[in-house]
Amino acid sequence: MTTTIHAPSRPAAPAPAPAIDLGDARDRLVDHRLYARVNSPERLRRFMEMHVYAVWDFQSLLKAMQQRLTCTSIPWLPTPDREARRLVNEIVLDEESDELPEGGSASHFELYLESMQAAGADTKPIERLLDLLRAGTPLPQALAGAGVPTAAADFVKRSFAVIESGSTHRIVAAFTYGREDVIPDMFRHLVVSLAEQDEATWGRFRYYLERHIAHDDEKHAPVCRRIVARLCGDDATKWAEASQTARECIEARIAFWDAIAK
């Protein structure tokens, strides 16, 4: 009589953790033809005059994330996720009150405007937009009234569609993968080209880019990826929605870059 000895059963390997699926969108954005075309002072100014709207709505995405993950109302109440609360507030501090090279602090948007002024770029349209918004004009009418270029207005409207969705994991995915994760690789192209330009004219713009690269690469992107993972957990539907939102945001940036390149 033959006796069969069975090896002790092993527990099944855990399923791989879900992840954001960007397809090839990120690679297409990082390798976009626009960077090689921003190769003269005039083209740098034109780029800034379009890109400034993405700098502005970045801050709006950030505030939407802060509103969803921290308490910004009165009476104050503690929000459920203590770690996310700390991480988001650290990002807000960097983006709204970063250090200036000569001392003091400013938001990255204000630093960008100062960079435009030093470079001789036209800041009047973005300043008109801010004035209209301060006066209570709804965003679509303010974009039209300020004369914002169509491609820039379309990009901003896409960002605000995510904000107005009210979906926390979508908002954080847009901020993380549509901005913080990809911005360093986009900006490195421009930093290289600025090294050959006049320091007095372009030094502040280069400082802005280098600060964003340092913050996003070393701190913000890893932190934001952790927040996305905490929000989505083991929920496959949330991961799919976060992936879709991230891809759509990158595709919107590619369309924006296409328009500027033309």
Side-chain angles (χ1 to χ4, degrees):
M1 179 176 181
T2 303
T3 302
T4 303
I5 300 176
H6 297 281
S9 61
R10 296 180 180 180
I20 294 295
D21 178 12
L22 300 177
D24 68 343
R26 190 184 192 280
D27 291 338
R28 287 189 289 116
L29 178 57
V30 171
D31 296 331
H32 200 280
R33 67 187 185 280
L34 174 64
Y35 310 113
R37 295 189 179 187
V38 184
N39 56 7
S40 70
E42 178 56 28
R43 288 186 172 191
L44 277 165
R45 284 188 283 269
R46 291 290 302 280
F47 172 81
M48 296 176 82
E49 290 165 4
M50 293 286 279
H51 179 239
V52 65
Y53 300 101
V55 177
W56 173 73
D57 80 353
F58 170 94
Q59 301 285 1
S60 298
L61 265 175
L62 172 60
K63 299 309 287 186
M65 190 167 73
Q66 186 183 32
Q67 288 175 352
R68 305 293 298 184
L69 293 172
T70 77
C71 182
T72 58
S73 59
I74 298 171
W76 178 88
L77 295 170
T79 48
D81 194 328
R82 300 178 183 182
E83 183 179 8
R85 186 194 315 156
R86 171 60 181 260
L87 297 174
V88 170
N89 282 331
E90 287 180 351
I91 296 172
V92 171
L93 176 62
D94 287 338
E95 298 291 350
E96 280 196 325
S97 304
D98 199 9
E99 298 175 359
L100 295 174
E102 68 276 11
S105 60
S107 70
H108 283 178
F109 173 75
E110 291 165 314
L111 178 57
Y112 200 94
L113 279 185
E114 292 172 2
S115 302
M116 291 179 69
Q117 291 161 354
D122 184 7
T123 61
K124 292 185 180 63
I126 183 65
E127 290 170 345
R128 283 198 298 269
L129 174 64
L130 299 181
D131 288 342
L132 287 168
L133 292 170
R134 289 189 186 102
T137 306
L139 179 63
Q141 289 85 344
L143 290 167
V148 176
T150 300
D154 288 345
F155 183 82
V156 169
K157 289 174 184 176
R158 170 62 202 164
S159 298
F160 274 80
V162 176
I163 292 170
E164 291 162 4
S165 74
S167 170
T168 304
H169 61 282
R170 285 183 181 271
I171 291 169
V172 179
F175 185 82
T176 302
Y177 294 95
R179 303 300 178 103
E180 299 290 66
D181 178 70
V182 75
I183 279 175
D185 287 338
M186 292 192 304
F187 281 178
R188 284 189 183 96
H189 296 279
L190 295 177
V191 169
V192 171
S193 66
L194 284 170
E196 303 173 359
Q197 305 296 332
D198 174 57
E199 177 68 19
T201 303
W202 298 102
R204 207 161 185 81
F205 186 35
R206 186 175 182 184
Y207 178 80
Y208 163 84
L209 296 174
E210 289 174 339
R211 291 298 286 177
H212 240 307
I213 290 170
H215 283 315
D216 296 352
D217 226 6
E218 299 168 10
K219 296 167 56 180
H220 296 178
V223 160
C224 288
R225 287 193 289 269
R226 284 166 56 192
I227 296 174
V228 171
R230 291 172 70 85
L231 290 172
C232 293
D234 297 324
D235 190 325
T237 299
K238 285 186 175 181
W239 278 107
E241 291 173 346
S243 294
Q244 179 185 9
T245 299
R247 284 195 304 273
E248 288 173 352
C249 288
I250 293 179
E251 293 291 351
R253 173 81 71 160
I254 291 171
F256 190 24
W257 269 196
D258 287 343
I260 299 174
K262 291 176 182 178

